[in-house]
Amino acid sequence: MGRYDCYKKPARVPRTREQVVDLFNSFDKDGDGMLSKEELKAAFRELGSRWGGFRARRALSHADANHDGLISKEEIKDLVNYALECGYTLN
């Protein structure tokens, strides 16, 4: 291992829609079937976002159709579309 190997970024592979859905669903920590802003923030950090809070707010503005501050199972399609449009990939 060379002296700069630890600074290399891993190869990135596009995520599938199903992988993104599964990832978001895995962050439903309280099991209520909804994603809160804090759960979204953690999910976006897992996706590699440096600004998880910003992404969570933007995701809510894109996907929270009923403006209740949560992403429901019915709204997750729009959330996933937003995440994929942002270009999130596997590490």
Side-chain angles (χ1 to χ4, degrees):
M1 183 188 284
R3 69 186 254 202
Y4 297 108
D5 287 346
C6 62
Y7 298 110
K8 290 181 182 177
K9 290 187 176 187
R12 296 173 95 54
V13 177
R15 289 184 185 266
T16 65
R17 184 170 298 281
E18 183 177 305
Q19 288 172 316
V20 176
V21 169
D22 290 346
L23 181 126
F24 280 120
N25 285 332
S26 74
F27 279 87
D28 179 14
K29 299 301 180 189
D30 58 7
D32 66 354
M34 311 276 257
L35 293 168
S36 68
K37 182 180 171 186
E38 288 303 312
E39 291 167 333
L40 287 170
K41 184 176 171 181
F44 276 104
R45 283 191 179 141
E46 178 68 21
L47 284 168
S49 177
R50 291 183 194 159
W51 304 284
F54 170 78
R55 283 290 166 218
R57 285 189 303 279
R58 297 287 294 163
L60 283 167
S61 73
H62 280 84
D64 184 15
N66 63 1
H67 306 288
D68 64 353
L70 301 167
I71 300 296
S72 67
K73 296 290 183 191
E74 294 78 26
E75 297 166 329
I76 201 158
K77 178 181 176 185
D78 291 330
L79 171 64
V80 170
N81 288 340
Y82 171 73
L84 293 175
E85 286 170 10
C86 290
Y88 288 101
T89 58
L90 279 171
N91 291 332

